[in-house]
Amino acid sequence: MTTHSQSGTRRVLFVCLGNICRSPTGEGLLRALLAERGLEGRIEVDSAGTGAWHVGEGPDRRMAAAAAARGYRLGGRARQVAPQDYDRYDLIVAMDRENLADLEAMAPPPERRRAELRLFSEFLPPGAPRDVPDPYYGGGHGFERVLDLVEEGCAAILDHLLDGEGQG
Ligand code: 4NP
């Protein structure tokens, strides 16, 4: 059975590979935006990974330090995407095309899904890269790049969630 959100509550899940760099950044920056706009009660945010290597770990220290330098706090413990996520969330945002392909491959049949699956870069201006690049094996520059892109896309994600309010 499809479970529907309480009226007015919209749910979004950010997904990357490890759930320790990019998707916790999406979660943390969207939470900051919600707090700034007084919308915490209206939108529920979480993040998950397609892989299980880091389950139970907090955000990558390098990612958390780069975020903290811009005034954002990253939190939560890594978890893997679960079948019920596809029905719990209204919107699942994949950070790169591989994450999206993995999410599509793991997706339950349509009658057990409510979530719309989207690529993060669909919320970026034209000309932006298609993927939020995986920063894990690179240098410090990669973490700044993640923050730049996620800062740029979060407002459009929030607008999209608020546009869909009252539907479903
Ligand atoms: P994330 O980064 O997908 O942005 O959390 C990664 C974290 C860990 C690994 C790869 C990417 N890893 O291979 O362990």
Side-chain angles (χ1 to χ4, degrees):
M1 192 176 83
T2 301
T3 50
H4 290 273
S5 303
Q6 282 182 329
S7 74
T9 303
R10 302 276 292 162
R11 298 190 174 107
V12 55
L13 181 71
F14 289 95
V15 172
C16 62
L17 179 61
N19 191 208
I20 56 171
C21 297
R22 293 166 292 174
S23 61
T25 301
E27 178 185 345
L29 271 56
L30 185 60
R31 281 189 198 285
L33 186 59
L34 293 173
E36 189 184 305
R37 300 207 189 163
L39 292 169
E40 296 110 312
R42 304 253 299 274
I43 312 272
E44 188 183 304
V45 193
D46 196 10
S47 64
T50 57
W53 306 282
H54 298 279
V55 166
E57 294 177 21
D60 181 282
R61 287 172 176 278
R62 301 163 297 171
M63 189 73 250
R70 297 192 191 195
Y72 303 110
R73 208 183 70 78
L74 304 188
R77 297 276 150 195
R79 72 171 179 89
Q80 193 172 21
V81 174
Q84 54 273 27
D85 289 328
Y86 293 82
D87 195 37
R88 175 169 178 80
Y89 292 90
D90 299 289
L91 175 65
I92 300 180
V93 181
M95 303 311 276
D96 68 26
R97 284 169 287 180
E98 185 181 306
N99 305 148
L100 184 63
D102 289 341
L103 279 167
E104 282 166 351
M106 291 187 285
E111 64 272 17
R112 284 194 274 124
R113 297 164 62 164
R114 88 182 259 109
E116 175 191 9
L117 304 187
R118 299 285 291 270
L119 194 57
F120 187 90
S121 60
E122 292 175 54
F123 299 98
L124 291 170
R130 302 281 306 280
D131 297 322
V132 178
D134 180 349
Y136 190 69
Y137 291 110
H141 157 84
F143 299 97
E144 297 303 329
R145 185 83 180 118
V146 171
L147 285 160
D148 290 343
L149 291 169
V150 174
E151 278 184 332
E152 201 172 2
C154 268
I157 290 174
L158 178 55
D159 288 345
H160 182 73
L161 287 163
L162 294 174
D163 273 352
E165 230 178 7
Q167 295 171 13

